[in-house]
Amino acid sequence: MSTNPWSSPAGARARPGMPGRRVGYVVAIVVNVVFFLLVNVWPTWRVVPFLTDAAQELVVLVNLSLIAGLVVNVLNLALDLAWVKAVGEIITSVIALVVVVRFWIVFPFAFPEPGFDWELLTRVVLGVAMAGTIVSVIVQVVVLARLDGTPPSYHGGMTAPETRDALIDAADLCLSAFERAVDDVPEAERTAPFAGTGRDRDLRDVVNHLHAWHVLLLGWLDADAAGRSPAFPAEGYDWASLDDLNLALRDRYRDVDLEAARRRLRTSHAEVLARLAGIEDASLYDPSRHPWLRGALAEPVHECLGAHYDWAIEAVGAARAPR
């Protein structure tokens, strides 16, 4: 079962990345493997007509770069953690910079007869590559620094739908899907305890958990609208104590039965969407608008709505799966 750090007892992993990110990791893995085979197995680098024998001393560095890229993307595929991605980008960019610098120094190229200045063009390309890798390292260092103290759930980059209306539509669709998942549970089983010793003991705890984060989200929006920095995630808690917060929320909202909890969830969902209707896209998606957040407001909004409902659907399915 996938986890959502806003929900998970562990609170340590980012929720699984969007399909596009994971496809990107797979493509990168395949590309690294293919290039490694092309350089070393068949047809090998020696068939490239404009490379001289001097390229032999660079093969080890090229292989190191390809292997590093392969390892980093395997880790990204398995974990989809932003700090892993940022550290991996830094490592692979530094290795790539060393490779490019060595190519500049050794310059293992022999071009055709004069008529076009291929050497100049190659030098320009290598120079641009050097600059690009340096910029990549700087950017990823900044990304890594900004991760400190921010919610783990959106450390993987922008995962929310890209407009307010799309975000609202996704929230409605995902809530409807969650409602269907609950309705699919036979009525006689809806109050039965989940197997195991997880934080959420039954369907009611899952529903209450979703509502509790609506309440927190509304509090953040209220404080932000009033020009205050919200207690983020909640008064007396930080992201390192997320487990404790989720346990406190579980106990705080276990005051009604399942059906009343579902009605309350629908109400708080509607309240959040009504509030969103009055927020412009620029305010939702411009990361500079909310200094207390260190990112775009759309991210925690999405994590408390559509992404959270997705987690809840999987939680219900996993709890009812045969053991």
Side-chain angles (χ1 to χ4, degrees), residues 25-45 47 62-63 65-67 69-71 73:
Y25 300 147
V26 172
V27 170
I29 290 168
V30 171
V31 169
N32 278 281
V33 170
V34 168
F35 271 92
F36 184 86
L37 295 175
L38 290 175
V39 170
N40 298 279
V41 180
W42 185 87
T44 80
W45 63 271
V47 304
V62 171
N63 286 340
S65 178
L66 293 171
I67 292 170
L70 174 64
V71 171
N73 281 288

Side-chain angles (χ1 to χ4, degrees), residues 49-52 107-114 116-123:
F50 53 82
L51 284 179
T52 68
F107 207 74
F109 304 104
F111 296 111
E113 292 297 322
F116 183 84
D117 197 341
W118 289 103
E119 180 174 346
L120 175 61
L121 177 61
T122 304
R123 294 284 186 185

Side-chain angles (χ1 to χ4, degrees), residues 124-287:
V124 170
V125 171
L126 291 173
V128 171
M130 286 185 214
T133 53
I134 292 170
V135 170
S136 177
V137 171
I138 294 171
V139 168
Q140 294 307 318
V141 168
V142 171
V143 168
L144 195 60
R146 290 187 63 186
L147 293 180
D148 182 35
T150 59
S153 53
Y154 55 96
H155 281 355
M158 193 63 175
T159 60
E162 296 181 356
T163 67
R164 179 196 60 193
D165 291 344
L167 190 153
I168 290 173
D169 289 344
D172 278 333
L173 287 171
C174 291
L175 179 60
S176 296
F178 173 66
E179 292 272 38
R180 288 194 299 273
V182 175
D183 289 337
D184 286 343
V185 178
E187 191 167 352
E189 299 177 19
R190 291 180 193 171
T191 57
F194 290 164
T197 58
R199 184 203 64 221
D200 297 320
R201 298 159 296 189
D202 52 23
L203 270 174
R204 181 163 46 140
D205 275 351
V206 174
V207 173
N208 287 337
H209 181 86
L210 297 173
H211 167 72
W213 280 89
H214 287 170
V215 174
L216 291 178
L217 173 57
L218 288 167
W220 304 336
L221 296 177
D222 285 342
D224 187 72
R228 305 191 308 272
S229 293
F232 190 59
E235 193 68 42
Y237 297 91
D238 57 24
W239 293 101
S241 58
L242 188 61
D243 298 350
D244 294 335
L245 172 59
N246 280 327
L247 285 172
L249 294 174
R250 181 195 68 180
D251 296 336
R252 181 184 307 168
Y253 288 99
R254 199 172 171 87
D255 55 346
V256 295
D257 63 22
L258 175 61
E259 289 310 309
R262 293 180 71 182
R263 291 193 295 271
R264 182 168 63 184
L265 174 64
R266 295 179 198 119
T267 298
S268 59
H269 171 88
E271 289 174 356
V272 172
L273 296 197
R275 192 72 58 85
L276 291 180
I279 302 177
E280 297 296 329
D281 278 16
S283 182
L284 278 171
Y285 291 94
D286 183 350

